[in-house]
Amino acid sequence: MRLLLVEDDDHVAAALSAVLARHGFQVVHARNGEEALRALLPAEKEPFSVVLLDLGLPDQDGYEVCGKIRKRSAIPVIMVTARADVRSRIHGLNLGADDYVVKPYDTGELLARIHAVARRRPPGEDTGPTPLAALRLGPVRIELPTRRVSVDDHEVQLTRKEFDLLALLAQRPGVVFRREQIISEVWRTSWEGTGRTLEVHVASLRSKLRLPALIETVRGVGYRLVPPSA
Ligand code: CA
């Protein structure tokens, strides 16, 4: 069983990897959130059966990493943290973690929990290659798991909402998305008060990507993404 261990403390990771290896796990170690997300990109290899995710990471919050993993994959995630309070646990579980283990933990208990979550979802069931991991539209490349966007191989910095908006439209190029639909999917809120926000984000995307024709306004309806001609 392949296990992704996300842990920035090398000593902890080494000790845990040794224990896990003794119990038959093939452990891949990621030292930060970015490495973790990269390791989960579709590959030729056998998919991971479970992710052990430390919440205190140097580059991004473990909760954030969990949310990003969950957006693209149903792989079981066990959060490992020193934060024992109930609110932290609830927050983690709300973000889609399958289980939550508080440090210091008993190794036997951790192993039991790993087996329990891995059993719940047979390996490969939804951890296989995610076809939408990266989208390419002419010069625009959108990497969904890492939320990176580049145009002609130059990375473009987008805000969270700008990315969500672009990713939404890009998943169905040419299809018109109604304004209400975009607002509910990107802002997770109702129509009221956000109409202008949407305009602003569209304008900002057009200018940041330097492709003013990429997102077309469909008057009175919404927007659609027009793939740049190859
Ligand atoms: Ca840590």
Side-chain angles (χ1 to χ4, degrees), residues 7-8 54 56:
E7 169 63 68
D8 59 312
D54 177 36

Side-chain angles (χ1 to χ4, degrees), residues 203-219:
S204 170
L205 269 179
R206 284 174 177 151
S207 108
K208 282 189 180 178
L209 299 173
R210 294 169 192 255
L211 292 166
L214 183 70
I215 299 172
E216 186 184 81
T217 306
V218 181
R219 204 173 289 253

